[in-house]
Amino acid sequence: GEDVEQSLFLSVREGDSSVINCTYTDSSSTYLYWYKQEPGAGLQLLTYIFSNMDMKQDQRLTVLLNKKDKHLSLRIADTQTGDSAIYFCAEKNYGGSQGNLIFGKGTKLSVKP
Amino acid sequence: DGGITQSPKYLFRKEGQNVTLSCEQNLNHDAMYWYRQDPGQGLRLIYYSQIVNDFQKGDIAEGYSVSREKKESFPLTVTSAQKNPTAFYLCASSIGGTSSYEQYFGPGTRLTVT
């Protein structure tokens, strides 16, 4: 079945780069997403990438996709304390009957001053 | 302002009682979704609806019910049959069913059942 895996924790110092990794199993995934969740809040869509792309950059965020290895990463440059949150990787199978997203368990990013 | 609202933010109920969680969107989205989030877990899909008067079960529909009488509203009822109802519930919407690629989330409702 479909599965999305992420490491649970990441700790970085303010100003450093953060790299959050994700692996997925569904080779027919067409869209891959990164969501951010702050404590007690809903999920905020950060960025997404189509499966026919290798990289997408949006200000401090860089998404890299290795489709062969089914590996997705999110790099946050110049990480700030406000970036502390849980980051979810999610995939969508365009041809799936449900059309819903499959989420990883989330990576909790802690930014130390 | 367009968006998704969920109310209330915190909800407390006694075991054995049904409770209904509200989700409203003014984004004119066709599709709406309910997810459940438990500590240290990802989101699990409860129910989804791609169009008014139609909805499908997700991965963990047992003990829940929904209705979709209006495009902008997708209430979730947590029934007494749900064995572990205490969780954080998130509602989401997207432009149109399987062709949409962005889901927008509400702020969530934290339900505690004692």
Side-chain angles (χ1 to χ4, degrees):
Chain A
E2 301 158 345
D3 199 12
V4 177
E5 299 282 343
Q6 299 178 243
S7 52
L8 294 181
F9 302 99
L10 177 65
S11 181
V12 301
R13 292 221 170 265
E14 192 173 15
D16 288 349
S17 292
S18 307
V19 179
I20 302 171
N21 294 301
C22 169
T23 57
Y24 60 97
T25 56
D26 189 350
S27 58
S28 61
S29 293
T30 51
Y31 302 99
L32 295 131
Y33 310 83
W34 284 105
Y35 282 87
K36 176 183 180 182
Q37 185 181 36
E38 297 182 359
L43 273 66
Q44 173 195 354
L45 178 65
L46 285 179
T47 187
Y48 63 90
I49 189 167
F50 295 132
S51 59
N52 61 357
M53 296 168 66
D54 297 324
M55 185 182 87
K56 182 178 181 181
Q57 188 155 0
D58 184 1
Q59 299 182 335
R60 291 191 298 124
L61 304 179
T62 302
V63 178
L64 294 177
L65 175 61
N66 181 329
K67 198 173 179 184
K68 175 175 169 289
D69 295 337
K70 298 188 192 119
H71 182 267
L72 182 74
S73 68
L74 174 69
R75 178 177 180 269
I76 305 173
D78 186 26
T79 312
Q80 302 298 306
T81 54
D83 294 324
S84 292
I86 300 175
Y87 290 81
F88 290 94
C89 170
E91 64 168 354
K92 180 180 176 81
N93 180 349
Y94 187 85
S97 59
Q98 293 187 353
N100 59 294
L101 302 181
I102 307 298
F103 287 86
K105 292 185 178 179
T107 299
K108 184 173 183 179
L109 174 65
S110 298
V111 182
K112 299 185 188 317
Chain B
D1 286 335
I4 302 174
T5 56
Q6 291 185 244
S7 60
K9 189 168 177 61
Y10 299 97
L11 193 53
F12 298 89
R13 279 295 182 270
K14 296 283 188 190
E15 197 173 321
Q17 293 179 334
N18 291 354
V19 60
T20 298
L21 282 60
S22 166
C23 178
E24 304 277 331
Q25 54 97 0
N26 61 2
L27 300 168
N28 200 32
H29 284 173
D30 286 315
M32 296 186 74
Y33 311 81
W34 274 106
Y35 293 91
R36 171 184 171 135
Q37 185 180 25
D38 294 285
Q41 299 292 318
L43 277 66
R44 292 183 290 169
L45 183 68
I46 305 172
Y47 267 99
Y48 67 103
S49 167
Q50 295 184 1
I51 199 166
V52 173
N53 292 323
D54 186 49
F55 48 83
Q56 285 79 40
K57 293 181 180 179
D59 300 319
I60 55 164
E62 186 175 347
Y64 299 98
S65 66
V66 293
S67 63
R68 187 85 187 278
E69 297 175 2
K70 298 187 295 183
K71 187 176 185 177
E72 57 270 21
S73 178
F74 191 39
L76 173 74
T77 296
V78 184
T79 75
S80 56
Q82 168 50 234
K83 297 283 188 280
N84 297 295
T86 294
F88 190 48
Y89 290 88
L90 287 159
C91 178
S93 70
S94 61
I95 293 172
T98 56
S99 64
S100 171
Y101 52 85
E102 291 179 28
Q103 288 187 15
Y104 297 88
F105 283 80
T109 292
R110 186 166 298 282
L111 173 64
T112 303
V113 177
T114 56

